[in-house]
Amino acid sequence: TSTKDLNLMPYRISVDTGGTFTDVVVTDTDGRFTVGKALTDKKRAFASIEAGLKVAAEEIGITAEALIADASLFVYGTTRATNGIVERKIARTAFLTTAGFPDILLLKEGGKAEPHNLQVEYPDPYIPRRYTFEVPERINAEGGIETALDEAAVRALLESLPDKHIEAIGVCLLWSIANPAHELRIGELIEEVLPGTPFTLSHQLNPILREYRRASSTAIDASLKPMMQEYLLTLEADIKAAGYTNDVLVSTSFGGVMHLRDVVQRPIFLVKSGPAMAPVAGLAYVEAEQLDSDVIICDAGGTTFDVSLVRDGLVEFSRDTWLGPQWVGDNLGMASVAVHSIGAGGGSIAWVDPGGLLRVGPHSAGSEPGPACYGRGGTEPTVTDAAVVLGYIDPAHFLGGRMHLDEAAARTALGGLAEKLGESVERAAYAVMAVANENMIQAIKELTINEGINPSDSTLVAGGGAGGLNIVPIAAELGCKTVLMPRTAGALSASGMQFSDIITEAGASRLTHSEAFDFDGVNAALATIDANLDEFAARLRERGFDNIEKRYFVEARYRFQVWELEIPVAGNSFTDAADVDALVAEFHRVHERVFAVTDAGQAVECLNWRGRLIATVNAPSLEPARKPAEQAASASRHRQAYFADGLVDTAIYLGAQLDIGSVIAGPAIIEEPTSTLVVYPGSTARVSAGGRYILTPPEEAQI
């Protein structure tokens, strides 16, 4: 399809498959956003997508088949890779490393959150020790061959792997980043001895100095290949069979998108890909409202509560992404949008621990069987069940009335919890919400206060189907004065995909320092990065993407420091001392911002160099403004809802009927087709010019 034809095709589709719901967002040429939501089908991704598309198509007034056929863009994100890692539902993977270094994945980085607690179990390595194999070879740090690769031993090793039912192979040799010859030869031997077996070579995926992080990313990428390649290629075939004729893009952990065929070769980019899109959407909505560009984005889905940040209009990135707890989890080893996730979504299960304390999460009811109120066999009390009991969610109007909830089942589930707590069902439900709120507040504080950021100086964006249930008390506790909730909050990540650019990275290692800067070595590393990015850019230009930008970064530190900071680099080469001085000045500036101290006389060490390619995708205009309110908003109905002071008569408003400028004073509830906004007593909600909700929490935090 030519670019001209694409411009004539009216619809853009983005999909986020979560653990509980699959969100479908459709935009048209007028900037209207239409959201379809369906329970996630764990067996076949397209079944849920098709169900969501039918909901969106019905609202637009066309068939799902016509919608797919008239789509110029299809962007897909999923939590499947992340869940596979956390739940260890990955391929049986062999890990090949240099002889004498079999414990890279076992020792990790040697950190421990509680150094004096001797009862903490030693964490398991990502790949079991019995599937780690030592390869006779040794290359030194300068790239010289100390011990030649024993090809006969490697061949014998590979021939033994089928008996161990190995499905994928990760190869991470000690100094392959200095000289990749041995890794490349092992790759050739794998293709020869075990044709068709997916494998990952560390120097191609993540060429950095840090041994554990390179090994971890290699192991994760290899272990995901069998599952995610089949999953994505099946999805692509299903979408094409349904009538879609253009490229399929996939959201990545970079906060951008890539073509599906590129991601199939590097499935590690799918880890945290869904949550990485929430700040992209949050930034777009905040800019549209001309609010403060320091933003905290909260995305409360059915399974998790995700927090991310935008600082000075830029999405925050991290190269320290742990899947699971720090030190004992598994490190992604690669750049990703900084997202902090906890098990505190709408489906999170409430329980009482042996000490009699109420807990919420981390376990979730998911979509199968789901919360008790879903009527699909779930019996455990969840946050969603609590919201139903409290009157925040109307069982007859969930998902715009397409899914009816079982209030009696919710009360029964909460009844057992209430009995253990010695409280009424309503008080127990309110306690569940309060504990969930506290979990979410702590997650926000870890990403803000612990990093020297005052949350009260930021705009708070509420997202996710469960995001509006408790965003007001969260904002009040954090001291945030402005809360923004878009009408598409129920599909925030999928909405972010509509605004995302195509992003990829390439890297190279070259250790040098400011007192004796290695101009030739650094420029060679940057040239290698440029060559990789240019190859990717050439493929993009063939597909009609011409607006391409490259940015460069280096991971640097003061001499004798342990950890690095990522510093932007002005260009793709260094010509003289002035360029080095500019780099050092920028390092001092970033170090001052992060740690509030600089050491002007200290040399700066540079370790890993990276390039990021950004190809702009024409984003849709935001949904058009509605007409200004001519009269005060009127409630569609009233019902009893439970707040701190007990049951209160609460006005219920339908979001679609609220005009610009409407001001809703709490207690009130605003119902959108895919989300619910609870306006607590003492707070107000105003409909902005773009049809979004601007909330002002009560001055007192006590709600």
Side-chain angles (χ1 to χ4, degrees), residues 15-17 75-83 228 231-232 249-258 263 266-280 299 306 321 323 332 335-337 339 341 492-494 496-497 500:
V15 178
D16 179 32
T17 297
V75 186
Y76 183 69
T78 177
T79 61
R80 190 176 180 89
T82 307
N83 293 343
M228 294 311 302
Y231 180 84
L232 290 175
L249 303 180
V250 179
S251 68
T252 70
S253 54
F254 297 144
V257 296
M258 294 175 64
V263 176
R266 295 286 185 269
I268 192 172
F269 293 158
L270 286 167
V271 179
K272 297 214 171 191
S273 66
M277 287 297 165
V280 177
D299 190 2
D306 303 317
T321 303
L323 301 170
L332 196 62
S336 69
V337 171
V339 179
S341 303
L492 194 67
S493 291
M497 296 174 198
S500 58

Side-chain angles (χ1 to χ4, degrees), residues 235-301:
L235 172 65
E236 183 186 43
D238 287 345
I239 294 170
K240 298 287 187 183
Y244 180 69
T245 57
N246 299 309
D247 289 331
V248 179
L249 303 180
V250 179
S251 68
T252 70
S253 54
F254 297 144
V257 296
M258 294 175 64
H259 282 87
L260 181 142
R261 293 287 170 160
D262 293 320
V263 176
V264 161
Q265 301 304 316
R266 295 286 185 269
I268 192 172
F269 293 158
L270 286 167
V271 179
K272 297 214 171 191
S273 66
M277 287 297 165
V280 177
L283 177 58
Y285 289 129
V286 164
E287 288 180 338
E289 296 293 343
Q290 298 181 335
L291 296 173
D292 195 308
S293 59
D294 286 346
V295 191
I296 301 170
I297 299 93
C298 303
D299 190 2

Side-chain angles (χ1 to χ4, degrees), residues 81-90 104-109 122-128 212-221 223 268 271-272 319-334 336:
T82 307
N83 293 343
I85 294 168
V86 173
E87 298 169 8
R88 286 298 189 268
K89 295 178 180 177
I90 52 177
I104 301 172
L105 297 177
L106 178 69
L107 298 176
K108 304 193 179 191
E109 287 181 339
Y122 201 89
D124 293 327
Y126 184 76
I127 291 177
Y212 164 69
R213 298 195 174 197
R214 178 159 50 94
S216 182
S217 58
T218 301
I220 290 171
D221 186 69
S223 72
I268 192 172
V271 179
K272 297 214 171 191
R319 296 197 181 276
D320 195 26
T321 303
W322 289 89
L323 301 170
Q326 188 179 25
W327 311 124
V328 298
D330 302 294
N331 197 293
L332 196 62
M334 305 185 75
S336 69

